[in-house]
Amino acid sequence: MRGRILISTSLSLLVALALVPGAAAQRFPCGKLLLPYFEATLPEPGDNPFAGVSTLFAVSNYSEHTAAVVVTVWTNWGIPVLDFGVDLEAGAMRTVNLRDWLVFGVLPDRQLTDEELFHLQAALSGEQSPRDGLFYSSWVESRLATGYVTIEEPYCGVRMQDLWGDYALVDSSRAFAKMESLVRIGGPDNELCEAHLIRFLEGGESDIATHISVWTGLRGVPSATSEPAIGLMRSRCEFFDERGRRFDDRFLDLRATQDLLVADLLLAEEAGWAHCSTPGHYTYFVIEHQVPGLLGAAYPSFCATDLDASPPQRGPAIDLEKSVNGEDADSPPGPSFTPGTQLDWAFLVINVGDDPLESIEVTDDQGLAIDCPADQLDLGASMVCTATSVAGAPGEYRNLGRVTALGAEAALVEAFDPCHYRVFAAAIEIEKKVNGEDADQPPGPTLMAGSVVQWSYFVTNTGQARLTNVSVSDDQGVIVLCPKATLEVAETMICLGSGVAVAGHHRNVGTVTASPLAGPTVSASDPAHYFGSAAGIAIEKRVNGEDADVPPGPTLLAGSSVSWTYLVTNTGNVMLGEVSVTDDRGVVVTCPATVLDPAASMTCTGAGVALSGQYRNVGSVLGTPPVGAPVLASDPSHYFGIAPGVTIEKLVNGLDADTPPGPSLPVGSAVVWTYVVTNTGDVDLDDITVSDDHGVAVSCPATSLAVGVSMACTASGTAVAGAYVNIGTVSATPPTGEPVMASDPAHYQGVAVGNQGCTPGYWKNHTGSWPPTGYSPEQSVLSVFAESWRYPAQSAATLHQALGFGGGPGLAGAAEILLRAAVAGLLNAAHPDVAYPRLAEDVIDDTNTALASNSRDAMLTLAAALDADNNRGCPLN
C-alpha cells in the first residue's frame, strides 16, 4: 500500500522484558493477535530516517493479570526473523512504531548490532541477506520492508478477549492512513475464515482506489534465489456488479501476506463486490478504500457462511487469464528477460456464465498475433489461445489482453487481463586500483616491501537490470570485502582488499561476477601492478642499558638521571640516507652519522630525568633509500618511577571541618576526631605515625599501608567553649628515600546550651544583632531551608520577610507559621551570646522534615515547640 498519513514521531515500546508467566488465577484457551500486513520505509544512508511509510500498533491487556506475550515479526514468505518476550501488565496499553525496530534497531530489550539490523532489513525487503546470501521475502519496492506481526500469550494465563489492540499504516509525505483493529487468530475468538465477501470501488468521479491486504499464514523457508522456496496459496475470486451479475472469475496466487491493488486486476466494472475463497485454509482479508488527501476507510471482509454458495448466475460471462512464459504477471514488475528471448503468450479463456458463447475473439493492445483453437465455448468450457514474440529493447513492459464473445440474444460480454514483464541487458564493470592508483600497466607505483597495500575495486552495474549475488575475487588470494551483494542499475560500490607488499614486480587481477534476474551470470576483470622496494631499517632502544620493550622495565627513583641508547641497523639491500632518530616524548637524540650502508649499524643517545609512575617512550628511525618511499621503524622502552605519597583527612564528629567555624558542639559534649590516612603513592609505606598538635592521643589500627589503601585513626576529647582548631599530622617511610608527611586541620565552635531565646519580633526589629549568626536578612528562605521549594511563594521570601509571615489556612499557611518560628530559632541557635536549647543544624533539619511531611499538623506542632523556645527570654540588647 503506497501512501499513508503524516505521522513522523517515533513511539517506543515502554515495557520491560523478562518472559515470566503472569500470576493468573486459571488457564484459558490460547490464541494470538495478528497485525496482518505492515510496511516500513528503510531510508538510504543520509536520508531523513522519519520519511516514508511506517506502521504503528498498540496492544492492551484488559485482564486483572500480567500477560506474558511473545512478539514475532514475519516476512511476506512467512519466515520469522525477529521475536522476543514482553510482560504486559494488567490494564496496560503499549504502543509500538515499527520504525524503531526496523530502521533504528532499537528493541525493548536491546540495540541490534549493525550485522543483525542489516540482515533484518534485507530479509523483510526482498534483498539478499548479507549474513548468509539467502532471500527471505519477495521484493515489493526498493527499500520497503513488508510482512506481518503476531502477539501470542503462550502460557494461556489470560483470556484472549482481554488482549486487544489496533494498528495504523502511516506516511510522513502524504495525508493518508489506514487504521484497523488487530485480528484474533486461533482459540475460541478466531476471526479468520475460508471465504470472504469484499466490497470494491475503483476509479470513477470519486477517484477511489481499493486495496486488499491478504494474510494466508503460509510458512516459508529461506531461498537461494529471489523466488520463494515454497508454493503460493491459490484463492478463487468471483466478481459481481452492483446488480448481482457475475462478470469475472479470477484465481489469485497469494503469499503469506501481501497487498493487492484492485486497479491492477483491470476489472470491467468500477464498483461491485467479490466472493473470494481459500477452501481448507483460514485466511484474513482487509479492505481499504483510499481517497487522496483523506483518511482511509479500512475494514475486514465479511466471512461467507457457505463456502460453496454463489449468487445465482444471470446470463453470459467470460473470463481471461493471460500469462507469459508460464507466469501469471498481473502486477508489475513481472518476470525478467534478456533482449532476444522468445516470449510465449498463453490466453486462458473460460466460459464462467450461464449461456454458451460464440464469436469469441481474443486481442492484445500490443498487436500480438493470437491463435485460438475455437471461437465458441459451452458452459464451463475453456480453451488456451497462444502467441509468440521476442523481447526487445531493455525497459518495463505491459500489455493488456481482451476477450469478447456473444451470449444469448447476442449479449456482448468481455474480460481483460494484464501482463507485465521487464527486458534488460545485464552488464557489470570493475576498475581495480592499488593504493588509489589505476595501475593497469606495469610497473605501477613503487611501494616499500613489507608496507600495507590497499586495493580498491570499483564495481558498477552498467546494465539495465538489478544484479544479485555480486562477488569480487582476486587471483592472488586477496580477501576482498564488499559492502553489499546487490546492485541497482547504474549503482557503484567500492570493495576493499589489503595485503603486504613483496619485493619486485607484482601483478594481481580482480574479477567480479553477478547474477541478473534472468539470463547468464555476468562478469568482468581488471589487473593492478606495483613494484616492491627491498629497503629496510631497524631500531633497538634501551633505558640505562636495559632492553625494556615491555612494562614495567627497570625501577628508577623519580628525579634521577635516565640515559637511552638507540641501536639503528640498515636491514635492507640499498644504502639509506637522511637517517634520523626521534623520540615521541621529546627526548633530544644525537646520532654519529646520517648515512648507513646495507647491514651497517650505529648507536644514537639521549638523556633525561626520571618521572614518577609507569613511563613509556618510543624511539623511531627514518631512512631514505635511493628510490621509493622512506623506511621507518620504532621501538619502545619502559621504566617505573617510584613516587611515594601519603594524605590525611581529619574529621570532627564525622564532619570534614577544614575551615572555621566547623560544627557547633555543646560545651562539655564528647568530641571524636577521625584521621583517615591514605597511601597515595605507588609503593608500600611503613612506620606510619599520626600526631595531633593539641596533644590529643591518636590510636591507629596499623603501621603499614599498601598502595591505594586507607585506614582510620581515632582520638577523643571534650568540647570547650568558643572557636577550636587542632591539626593532625601523618608521617610514613617508603622503601627508599626520605619519609613523606601530610597534615589536615579540624574546627568546631563550642556553644553553651541553656534556656534563652529571642522572639521573631526581636529579630525582625533588631537586624543589627544578625552579623554574629552568620546569616543575612536578605538571604532567601530557600537558601537555608531546602524543602521550602514545595511552597514557592514562601521559599522566594527573604529571611527578614519570613519573620513577618502571618500564616493562614492549608499547607501554605502552616508553612508560613513554621518558617516564622524557624528563622527566629535558627538565629537564636547561631548567635554565640544566646544560650538556646537547640543547635542550628537541628533547627534546619527538623524544619525541612516538617516541610516535606505534607502534613499541616506536623508543621504546626514543630512551630509551637520552636515558639516556646523563642520565648525563653532574650539576653541581647
Side-chain angles (χ1 to χ4, degrees), residues 398-445:
R398 174 187 183 274
N399 53 350
L400 179 66
R402 180 189 184 212
V403 61
T404 60
L406 296 178
E409 300 179 357
L412 176 66
V413 293
E414 63 180 0
F416 299 85
D417 193 47
C419 206
H420 301 79
Y421 68 94
R422 295 190 294 182
V423 179
F424 63 88
I428 198 165
E429 182 179 280
I430 185 171
E431 182 62 50
K432 181 177 179 183
K433 298 184 178 184
V434 55
N435 284 9
E437 184 173 334
D438 184 8
D440 289 346
Q441 301 298 324

Short mmCIF file of all heavy atoms in Angstrom, two decimals, residues 398-445:
data_model
loop_
_atom_site.label_atom_id
_atom_site.label_comp_id
_atom_site.label_asym_id
_atom_site.label_seq_id
_atom_site.Cartn_x
_atom_site.Cartn_y
_atom_site.Cartn_z
N ARG A 398 4.13 -3.64 -20.43
CA ARG A 398 2.80 -4.06 -20.00
C ARG A 398 1.92 -4.17 -21.24
O ARG A 398 1.91 -3.27 -22.08
CB ARG A 398 2.20 -3.03 -19.04
CG ARG A 398 0.75 -3.31 -18.65
CD ARG A 398 0.20 -2.14 -17.84
NE ARG A 398 -1.16 -2.36 -17.37
CZ ARG A 398 -2.25 -2.10 -18.08
NH1 ARG A 398 -2.14 -1.59 -19.32
NH2 ARG A 398 -3.45 -2.32 -17.60
N ASN A 399 1.25 -5.28 -21.36
CA ASN A 399 0.24 -5.36 -22.42
C ASN A 399 -1.02 -5.97 -21.85
O ASN A 399 -1.00 -6.70 -20.85
CB ASN A 399 0.74 -6.10 -23.67
CG ASN A 399 1.31 -7.45 -23.36
OD1 ASN A 399 1.52 -7.79 -22.21
ND2 ASN A 399 1.58 -8.24 -24.39
N LEU A 400 -2.13 -5.64 -22.48
CA LEU A 400 -3.45 -5.96 -21.96
C LEU A 400 -4.17 -6.88 -22.93
O LEU A 400 -4.34 -6.55 -24.12
CB LEU A 400 -4.26 -4.68 -21.74
CG LEU A 400 -5.67 -4.86 -21.21
CD1 LEU A 400 -5.64 -5.43 -19.80
CD2 LEU A 400 -6.41 -3.51 -21.22
N GLY A 401 -4.55 -8.05 -22.43
CA GLY A 401 -5.33 -8.98 -23.24
C GLY A 401 -6.82 -8.71 -23.05
O GLY A 401 -7.28 -8.36 -21.96
N ARG A 402 -7.58 -8.91 -24.14
CA ARG A 402 -9.04 -8.68 -24.10
C ARG A 402 -9.73 -9.81 -24.83
O ARG A 402 -9.27 -10.25 -25.89
CB ARG A 402 -9.39 -7.35 -24.75
CG ARG A 402 -10.88 -7.03 -24.75
CD ARG A 402 -11.18 -5.83 -25.59
NE ARG A 402 -12.58 -5.43 -25.55
CZ ARG A 402 -13.24 -4.88 -26.55
NH1 ARG A 402 -12.63 -4.63 -27.70
NH2 ARG A 402 -14.51 -4.56 -26.41
N VAL A 403 -10.81 -10.32 -24.26
CA VAL A 403 -11.63 -11.32 -24.92
C VAL A 403 -13.06 -10.81 -24.98
O VAL A 403 -13.57 -10.22 -24.02
CB VAL A 403 -11.55 -12.68 -24.18
CG1 VAL A 403 -12.08 -12.57 -22.76
CG2 VAL A 403 -12.33 -13.74 -24.95
N THR A 404 -13.68 -10.96 -26.14
CA THR A 404 -15.09 -10.60 -26.32
C THR A 404 -15.82 -11.82 -26.86
O THR A 404 -15.23 -12.70 -27.51
CB THR A 404 -15.25 -9.44 -27.30
OG1 THR A 404 -14.70 -9.81 -28.58
CG2 THR A 404 -14.55 -8.19 -26.78
N ALA A 405 -17.10 -11.91 -26.58
CA ALA A 405 -17.93 -13.03 -27.05
C ALA A 405 -19.38 -12.60 -27.03
O ALA A 405 -19.76 -11.61 -26.38
CB ALA A 405 -17.71 -14.26 -26.18
N LEU A 406 -20.21 -13.38 -27.73
CA LEU A 406 -21.66 -13.14 -27.78
C LEU A 406 -22.35 -14.28 -27.07
O LEU A 406 -22.07 -15.46 -27.31
CB LEU A 406 -22.15 -13.03 -29.22
CG LEU A 406 -21.60 -11.85 -30.03
CD1 LEU A 406 -22.13 -11.91 -31.45
CD2 LEU A 406 -21.97 -10.52 -29.37
N GLY A 407 -23.27 -13.93 -26.17
CA GLY A 407 -24.07 -14.93 -25.49
C GLY A 407 -25.47 -14.99 -26.06
O GLY A 407 -25.71 -14.63 -27.22
N ALA A 408 -26.40 -15.41 -25.21
CA ALA A 408 -27.80 -15.50 -25.65
C ALA A 408 -28.30 -14.12 -26.03
O ALA A 408 -27.96 -13.12 -25.39
CB ALA A 408 -28.65 -16.10 -24.52
N GLU A 409 -29.14 -14.11 -27.05
CA GLU A 409 -29.73 -12.86 -27.55
C GLU A 409 -28.63 -11.87 -27.92
O GLU A 409 -28.80 -10.66 -27.78
CB GLU A 409 -30.67 -12.26 -26.51
CG GLU A 409 -31.83 -13.18 -26.14
CD GLU A 409 -32.74 -12.58 -25.09
OE1 GLU A 409 -32.42 -11.47 -24.61
OE2 GLU A 409 -33.75 -13.20 -24.76
N ALA A 410 -27.50 -12.39 -28.41
CA ALA A 410 -26.38 -11.57 -28.90
C ALA A 410 -25.84 -10.61 -27.83
O ALA A 410 -25.33 -9.52 -28.16
CB ALA A 410 -26.78 -10.81 -30.16
N ALA A 411 -25.95 -11.00 -26.56
CA ALA A 411 -25.41 -10.15 -25.49
C ALA A 411 -23.88 -10.19 -25.54
O ALA A 411 -23.28 -11.25 -25.54
CB ALA A 411 -25.92 -10.62 -24.13
N LEU A 412 -23.26 -9.02 -25.57
CA LEU A 412 -21.82 -8.92 -25.65
C LEU A 412 -21.23 -9.00 -24.24
O LEU A 412 -21.64 -8.27 -23.34
CB LEU A 412 -21.40 -7.60 -26.31
CG LEU A 412 -19.89 -7.34 -26.37
CD1 LEU A 412 -19.22 -8.35 -27.29
CD2 LEU A 412 -19.62 -5.91 -26.83
N VAL A 413 -20.28 -9.91 -24.08
CA VAL A 413 -19.54 -9.99 -22.82
C VAL A 413 -18.05 -9.85 -23.15
O VAL A 413 -17.62 -10.13 -24.27
CB VAL A 413 -19.81 -11.32 -22.09
CG1 VAL A 413 -21.23 -11.40 -21.61
CG2 VAL A 413 -19.49 -12.52 -23.00
N GLU A 414 -17.29 -9.38 -22.14
CA GLU A 414 -15.87 -9.21 -22.35
C GLU A 414 -15.13 -9.34 -21.02
O GLU A 414 -15.74 -9.26 -19.94
CB GLU A 414 -15.57 -7.84 -22.97
CG GLU A 414 -15.96 -6.66 -22.08
CD GLU A 414 -15.64 -5.32 -22.73
OE1 GLU A 414 -15.14 -5.32 -23.85
OE2 GLU A 414 -15.90 -4.28 -22.08
N ALA A 415 -13.84 -9.56 -21.12
CA ALA A 415 -12.98 -9.63 -19.94
C ALA A 415 -11.58 -9.17 -20.34
O ALA A 415 -11.20 -9.24 -21.51
CB ALA A 415 -12.93 -11.05 -19.37
N PHE A 416 -10.85 -8.66 -19.36
CA PHE A 416 -9.50 -8.15 -19.59
C PHE A 416 -8.54 -8.81 -18.60
O PHE A 416 -8.92 -9.20 -17.49
CB PHE A 416 -9.45 -6.63 -19.40
CG PHE A 416 -10.32 -5.85 -20.34
CD1 PHE A 416 -11.67 -5.63 -20.05
CD2 PHE A 416 -9.81 -5.33 -21.52
CE1 PHE A 416 -12.47 -4.90 -20.91
CE2 PHE A 416 -10.60 -4.60 -22.37
CZ PHE A 416 -11.93 -4.37 -22.07
N ASP A 417 -7.27 -8.89 -18.97
CA ASP A 417 -6.24 -9.33 -18.05
C ASP A 417 -4.90 -8.76 -18.50
O ASP A 417 -4.55 -8.89 -19.68
CB ASP A 417 -6.15 -10.85 -17.99
CG ASP A 417 -5.31 -11.31 -16.79
OD1 ASP A 417 -5.54 -10.80 -15.68
OD2 ASP A 417 -4.42 -12.15 -16.97
N PRO A 418 -4.17 -8.10 -17.61
CA PRO A 418 -2.87 -7.52 -18.00
C PRO A 418 -1.74 -8.52 -17.80
O PRO A 418 -1.88 -9.53 -17.11
CB PRO A 418 -2.73 -6.35 -17.03
CG PRO A 418 -3.37 -6.87 -15.78
CD PRO A 418 -4.53 -7.74 -16.24
N CYS A 419 -0.61 -8.18 -18.36
CA CYS A 419 0.61 -8.96 -18.16
C CYS A 419 1.78 -7.99 -18.17
O CYS A 419 1.82 -7.06 -18.98
CB CYS A 419 0.77 -10.00 -19.26
SG CYS A 419 1.75 -11.42 -18.74
N HIS A 420 2.70 -8.19 -17.26
CA HIS A 420 3.87 -7.31 -17.13
C HIS A 420 5.15 -8.13 -17.25
O HIS A 420 5.21 -9.29 -16.85
CB HIS A 420 3.87 -6.61 -15.77
CG HIS A 420 2.67 -5.76 -15.51
ND1 HIS A 420 1.45 -6.30 -15.11
CD2 HIS A 420 2.48 -4.42 -15.59
CE1 HIS A 420 0.58 -5.33 -14.96
NE2 HIS A 420 1.17 -4.18 -15.23
N TYR A 421 6.17 -7.51 -17.81
CA TYR A 421 7.49 -8.12 -17.84
C TYR A 421 8.54 -7.04 -18.02
O TYR A 421 8.21 -5.90 -18.38
CB TYR A 421 7.60 -9.20 -18.90
CG TYR A 421 7.56 -8.71 -20.33
CD1 TYR A 421 8.72 -8.42 -21.04
CD2 TYR A 421 6.33 -8.54 -20.99
CE1 TYR A 421 8.68 -7.98 -22.35
CE2 TYR A 421 6.28 -8.09 -22.30
CZ TYR A 421 7.45 -7.82 -22.98
OH TYR A 421 7.41 -7.36 -24.26
N ARG A 422 9.79 -7.41 -17.77
CA ARG A 422 10.90 -6.49 -17.93
C ARG A 422 11.94 -7.09 -18.88
O ARG A 422 12.15 -8.30 -18.90
CB ARG A 422 11.58 -6.19 -16.59
CG ARG A 422 10.69 -5.47 -15.61
CD ARG A 422 11.46 -4.99 -14.40
NE ARG A 422 11.98 -6.09 -13.60
CZ ARG A 422 12.66 -5.92 -12.47
NH1 ARG A 422 12.90 -4.71 -12.03
NH2 ARG A 422 13.10 -6.96 -11.79
N VAL A 423 12.56 -6.21 -19.66
CA VAL A 423 13.64 -6.62 -20.54
C VAL A 423 14.88 -5.83 -20.13
O VAL A 423 14.81 -4.62 -19.92
CB VAL A 423 13.31 -6.37 -22.02
CG1 VAL A 423 14.49 -6.78 -22.91
CG2 VAL A 423 12.05 -7.12 -22.42
N PHE A 424 15.97 -6.53 -20.02
CA PHE A 424 17.19 -5.85 -19.61
C PHE A 424 18.40 -6.49 -20.28
O PHE A 424 18.35 -7.64 -20.73
CB PHE A 424 17.36 -5.91 -18.10
CG PHE A 424 17.52 -7.31 -17.58
CD1 PHE A 424 18.77 -7.91 -17.50
CD2 PHE A 424 16.40 -8.04 -17.19
CE1 PHE A 424 18.91 -9.19 -17.03
CE2 PHE A 424 16.54 -9.34 -16.73
CZ PHE A 424 17.79 -9.91 -16.65
N ALA A 425 19.46 -5.72 -20.37
CA ALA A 425 20.76 -6.23 -20.80
C ALA A 425 21.69 -6.13 -19.61
O ALA A 425 22.08 -5.04 -19.21
CB ALA A 425 21.29 -5.43 -21.98
N ALA A 426 21.98 -7.26 -18.99
CA ALA A 426 22.79 -7.25 -17.79
C ALA A 426 24.26 -7.03 -18.15
O ALA A 426 24.76 -7.59 -19.13
CB ALA A 426 22.63 -8.56 -17.03
N ALA A 427 24.94 -6.21 -17.38
CA ALA A 427 26.37 -5.97 -17.59
C ALA A 427 26.97 -5.44 -16.30
O ALA A 427 26.28 -4.82 -15.48
CB ALA A 427 26.61 -4.98 -18.73
N ILE A 428 28.26 -5.67 -16.11
CA ILE A 428 28.95 -5.20 -14.91
C ILE A 428 30.37 -4.80 -15.28
O ILE A 428 30.92 -5.29 -16.28
CB ILE A 428 28.95 -6.28 -13.81
CG1 ILE A 428 29.25 -5.67 -12.44
CG2 ILE A 428 29.92 -7.42 -14.14
CD1 ILE A 428 28.92 -6.58 -11.29
N GLU A 429 30.92 -3.88 -14.52
CA GLU A 429 32.26 -3.38 -14.80
C GLU A 429 33.03 -3.30 -13.49
O GLU A 429 32.46 -3.03 -12.43
CB GLU A 429 32.18 -2.00 -15.44
CG GLU A 429 33.52 -1.39 -15.82
CD GLU A 429 33.36 -0.03 -16.48
OE1 GLU A 429 33.06 0.02 -17.68
OE2 GLU A 429 33.49 0.98 -15.76
N ILE A 430 34.37 -3.52 -13.56
CA ILE A 430 35.23 -3.41 -12.37
C ILE A 430 36.47 -2.60 -12.73
O ILE A 430 37.03 -2.75 -13.83
CB ILE A 430 35.62 -4.81 -11.83
CG1 ILE A 430 36.41 -4.67 -10.52
CG2 ILE A 430 36.39 -5.60 -12.86
CD1 ILE A 430 36.65 -6.00 -9.82
N GLU A 431 36.84 -1.70 -11.85
CA GLU A 431 38.05 -0.90 -12.00
C GLU A 431 38.87 -1.09 -10.74
O GLU A 431 38.46 -0.69 -9.65
CB GLU A 431 37.73 0.57 -12.20
CG GLU A 431 38.96 1.45 -12.41
CD GLU A 431 39.74 1.08 -13.67
OE1 GLU A 431 39.11 0.96 -14.73
OE2 GLU A 431 40.95 0.88 -13.57
N LYS A 432 40.05 -1.74 -10.88
CA LYS A 432 40.87 -2.05 -9.72
C LYS A 432 41.99 -1.02 -9.57
O LYS A 432 42.63 -0.65 -10.56
CB LYS A 432 41.45 -3.45 -9.86
CG LYS A 432 42.31 -3.88 -8.66
CD LYS A 432 42.79 -5.31 -8.83
CE LYS A 432 43.66 -5.70 -7.63
NZ LYS A 432 44.20 -7.05 -7.79
N LYS A 433 42.21 -0.56 -8.34
CA LYS A 433 43.27 0.40 -8.06
C LYS A 433 44.14 -0.12 -6.91
O LYS A 433 43.64 -0.83 -6.03
CB LYS A 433 42.69 1.77 -7.70
CG LYS A 433 41.88 2.39 -8.84
CD LYS A 433 41.40 3.79 -8.48
CE LYS A 433 40.63 4.41 -9.64
NZ LYS A 433 40.22 5.80 -9.37
N VAL A 434 45.43 0.26 -6.94
CA VAL A 434 46.34 -0.11 -5.88
C VAL A 434 46.81 1.16 -5.19
O VAL A 434 47.34 2.07 -5.84
CB VAL A 434 47.52 -0.94 -6.43
CG1 VAL A 434 48.26 -0.24 -7.54
CG2 VAL A 434 48.49 -1.30 -5.29
N ASN A 435 46.51 1.26 -3.90
CA ASN A 435 46.80 2.48 -3.12
C ASN A 435 46.26 3.71 -3.83
O ASN A 435 46.89 4.76 -3.90
CB ASN A 435 48.30 2.62 -2.88
CG ASN A 435 48.78 1.66 -1.80
OD1 ASN A 435 48.05 0.79 -1.35
ND2 ASN A 435 50.02 1.81 -1.39
N GLY A 436 45.04 3.57 -4.40
CA GLY A 436 44.35 4.68 -5.04
C GLY A 436 44.79 4.96 -6.46
O GLY A 436 44.27 5.89 -7.10
N GLU A 437 45.73 4.19 -7.02
CA GLU A 437 46.26 4.46 -8.37
C GLU A 437 45.78 3.38 -9.34
O GLU A 437 45.87 2.18 -9.05
CB GLU A 437 47.79 4.50 -8.31
CG GLU A 437 48.43 4.87 -9.64
CD GLU A 437 49.94 5.08 -9.52
OE1 GLU A 437 50.40 5.42 -8.40
OE2 GLU A 437 50.64 4.89 -10.51
N ASP A 438 45.28 3.82 -10.50
CA ASP A 438 44.84 2.90 -11.53
C ASP A 438 46.08 2.39 -12.27
O ASP A 438 46.62 3.07 -13.15
CB ASP A 438 43.89 3.60 -12.49
CG ASP A 438 43.33 2.65 -13.53
OD1 ASP A 438 43.56 1.44 -13.42
OD2 ASP A 438 42.67 3.13 -14.48
N ALA A 439 46.55 1.19 -11.91
CA ALA A 439 47.83 0.68 -12.41
C ALA A 439 47.60 -0.52 -13.32
O ALA A 439 48.05 -1.64 -13.05
CB ALA A 439 48.73 0.32 -11.24
N ASP A 440 46.87 -0.28 -14.44
CA ASP A 440 46.61 -1.38 -15.36
C ASP A 440 47.89 -1.91 -16.00
O ASP A 440 47.98 -3.09 -16.36
CB ASP A 440 45.65 -0.92 -16.46
CG ASP A 440 44.24 -0.70 -15.92
OD1 ASP A 440 43.96 -1.15 -14.80
OD2 ASP A 440 43.42 -0.08 -16.63
N GLN A 441 48.91 -1.03 -16.21
CA GLN A 441 50.15 -1.42 -16.86
C GLN A 441 51.31 -1.39 -15.85
O GLN A 441 51.34 -0.56 -14.95
CB GLN A 441 50.46 -0.46 -18.03
CG GLN A 441 49.37 -0.39 -19.09
CD GLN A 441 49.15 -1.73 -19.77
OE1 GLN A 441 50.12 -2.48 -19.99
NE2 GLN A 441 47.91 -2.04 -20.11
N PRO A 442 52.32 -2.31 -16.05
CA PRO A 442 53.48 -2.28 -15.15
C PRO A 442 54.36 -1.07 -15.45
O PRO A 442 54.28 -0.53 -16.56
CB PRO A 442 54.19 -3.60 -15.49
CG PRO A 442 53.75 -3.94 -16.88
CD PRO A 442 52.36 -3.40 -17.02
N PRO A 443 55.19 -0.55 -14.52
CA PRO A 443 55.43 -1.20 -13.22
C PRO A 443 54.43 -0.79 -12.15
O PRO A 443 54.41 -1.38 -11.08
CB PRO A 443 56.82 -0.69 -12.86
CG PRO A 443 56.86 0.67 -13.46
CD PRO A 443 56.10 0.58 -14.76
N GLY A 444 53.60 0.23 -12.37
CA GLY A 444 52.71 0.71 -11.33
C GLY A 444 53.47 1.50 -10.27
O GLY A 444 54.65 1.80 -10.43
N PRO A 445 52.84 1.83 -9.16
CA PRO A 445 53.52 2.61 -8.12
C PRO A 445 54.63 1.79 -7.45
O PRO A 445 54.59 0.55 -7.42
CB PRO A 445 52.40 2.93 -7.13
CG PRO A 445 51.40 1.85 -7.33
CD PRO A 445 51.44 1.51 -8.79
#
